[in-house]
Amino acid sequence: MKQASRKIGKQAVNSKPAGAAPSAESAFASYAAPLVDDAIEHASAVREDASPEALHKLRVSLRRLRSLWWAFEPLLDKGENTRQRALYKYLATAAGKTRDWDILIELITQDERVAHDTAPRLQEARGGALATSRETLSNADVKHLLQDALTSAKKELNTAHERVPLQKFVDKRVAVSERSLKKRIKRASHAKRSNYAAFHDVRKAGKKLRYLLEFFEPVLHGNRKRTQKRLKQIQKRFGTLNDVVASEMLLRDNTGLLAGSGDADAALDWLRKERKRRMRAAAGLLRKL
């Protein structure tokens, strides 16, 4: 994925004749088109492939699209941009509902006793979620939705009267994203351990910045290796925290699945302890950033 991002960036830089500085408007399609193609391919694969990996790839591709549309927000119609990003979020959530069950099942298997009693019913629930995900994605007609979004954005940018130098534009957008991450890290550093929302905001801001660096690294000013190292740490530490928090919420919302036994209580107790452990680990990383 990272090599593909570098290739896209080089294509954007070379999208103008020699001697002409590429504009953000003219470079947009070279960033967006491969991402749209990836998302369409992954959405098609999910119809046949029910594996956790297929769903994960689709959700990631849609998140990357949402981040790219955010990056180009200043150049696009605000209302349309908001609608498109909401669409990508909606589709990612549809894929994510099944993925959430996969994560819960994976976590629960770490406790053999709890897993033995709960796994069959959780797998059944996962099957129901997959059917719903597939139906939602099929009804949404992902291919045409994404192609229409790309066509609309390209038309708007290609007919724009002004042109913004690509390097100047991406430097500014990455700087905005970096400031947003710093602000959220500071807020989470002073938040109470019970304030998971503050920790979640750090994760989201870090993920957006990571995607932008992947997109624009070939044309950015300066070396971002130190930033990328921090982002990897955030992604790993805060990602594992988010997994257990989301799994705990999912199980609480579906305790009826394990009704009539102590399985739900045992699973929730294990997840609660794991959440506290991972929250401490995330807070420890914040102190080092």
Side-chain angles (χ1 to χ4, degrees), residues 3 13 18 25 39 44 51 63 66 78-79 106 113 124 131-132 137 142 165 173 177 217 223 228 232 235 242 273 275:
Q3 288 181 338
V13 172
E25 290 84 356
S44 178
S51 70
R63 285 173 172 171
R66 191 162 181 252
K78 184 175 181 180
E106 183 179 342
R113 182 181 62 83
E124 183 179 351
T132 301
L137 294 168
V142 174
R173 294 305 284 162
S177 186
E217 183 181 20
N223 189 312
Q228 290 171 334
K232 287 181 180 178
Q235 179 185 7
N242 181 71
K273 292 176 180 177
R275 167 173 48 84

Side-chain angles (χ1 to χ4, degrees), residues 12-277:
V13 172
N14 296 326
S15 61
K16 284 284 187 178
S23 70
E25 290 84 356
S26 64
F28 171 78
S30 62
Y31 289 111
L35 297 182
V36 168
D37 289 343
D38 280 348
I40 291 172
E41 180 182 345
H42 294 319
S44 178
V46 166
R47 291 199 294 266
E48 305 296 332
D49 185 356
S51 70
E53 186 63 21
L55 288 157
H56 177 63
K57 286 180 178 179
L58 174 58
R59 186 158 66 166
V60 169
S61 68
L62 290 163
R63 285 173 172 171
R64 286 166 60 83
L65 274 173
R66 191 162 181 252
S67 295
L68 184 68
W69 254 252
W70 176 89
F72 280 85
E73 182 179 27
L75 305 180
L76 295 167
D77 177 78
K78 184 175 181 180
E80 181 63 18
N81 183 276
T82 299
R83 285 190 290 274
Q84 292 301 336
R85 289 170 58 208
L87 169 64
Y88 302 147
K89 183 177 182 179
Y90 167 76
L91 295 174
T93 299
K97 289 185 181 300
T98 304
R99 176 64 179 161
D100 289 344
W101 284 105
D102 289 324
I103 293 171
L104 171 59
I105 292 168
E106 183 179 342
L107 283 168
I108 290 298
T109 56
Q110 295 181 36
D111 187 311
E112 292 184 5
R113 182 181 62 83
V114 174
H116 180 270
D117 295 331
T118 63
R121 278 169 282 186
L122 296 182
Q123 285 288 356
E124 183 179 351
R126 193 262 187 192
L130 175 63
T132 301
S133 293
R134 283 173 163 169
E135 182 180 5
T136 301
L137 294 168
S138 177
N139 291 340
D141 193 0
V142 174
K143 179 178 180 179
H144 289 100
L145 277 176
L146 298 187
Q147 288 178 337
D148 288 348
L150 176 60
T151 299
S152 176
K154 284 168 59 178
K155 181 179 180 180
E156 182 180 354
L157 293 171
N158 288 337
T159 56
H161 296 298
E162 297 182 5
R163 288 288 184 268
V164 181
L166 176 61
Q167 189 169 64
K168 178 180 179 181
F169 179 76
V170 299
D171 280 341
K172 185 174 182 179
R173 294 305 284 162
V174 168
V176 171
S177 186
E178 287 176 328
R179 288 196 297 271
S180 176
L181 176 59
K182 289 179 181 178
K183 181 179 179 181
R184 282 157 177 74
I185 287 175
K186 183 177 181 180
R187 183 183 301 162
S189 297
H190 296 91
K192 294 181 179 179
R193 292 285 176 84
S194 59
N195 185 4
Y196 172 68
F199 285 71
H200 189 51
D201 285 344
V202 172
R203 177 175 172 268
K204 290 191 296 183
K207 184 174 294 185
K208 180 187 291 181
L209 177 56
R210 179 169 61 87
Y211 289 152
L212 263 59
L213 292 181
E214 289 177 357
F215 298 149
F216 303 134
E217 183 181 20
V219 294
L220 281 172
H221 274 118
N223 189 312
R224 294 302 203 286
K225 288 185 178 180
R226 183 177 179 183
T227 299
Q228 290 171 334
K229 182 178 179 181
R230 293 171 67 206
L231 292 175
K232 287 181 180 178
Q233 292 175 322
I234 290 172
Q235 179 185 7
K236 183 176 181 180
R237 194 75 58 89
F238 284 72
T240 58
L241 170 61
N242 181 71
D243 285 349
V244 76
V245 170
S247 294
E248 186 179 5
M249 291 175 60
L250 181 62
L251 190 55
R252 288 189 185 280
D253 290 341
N254 294 274
T255 51
L257 287 172
L258 307 178
S261 71
D263 297 341
D265 290 338
L268 285 169
D269 184 59
W270 185 87
L271 287 168
R272 179 182 59 80
K273 292 176 180 177
E274 190 65 12
R275 167 173 48 84
K276 289 184 175 182
R277 185 183 71 81

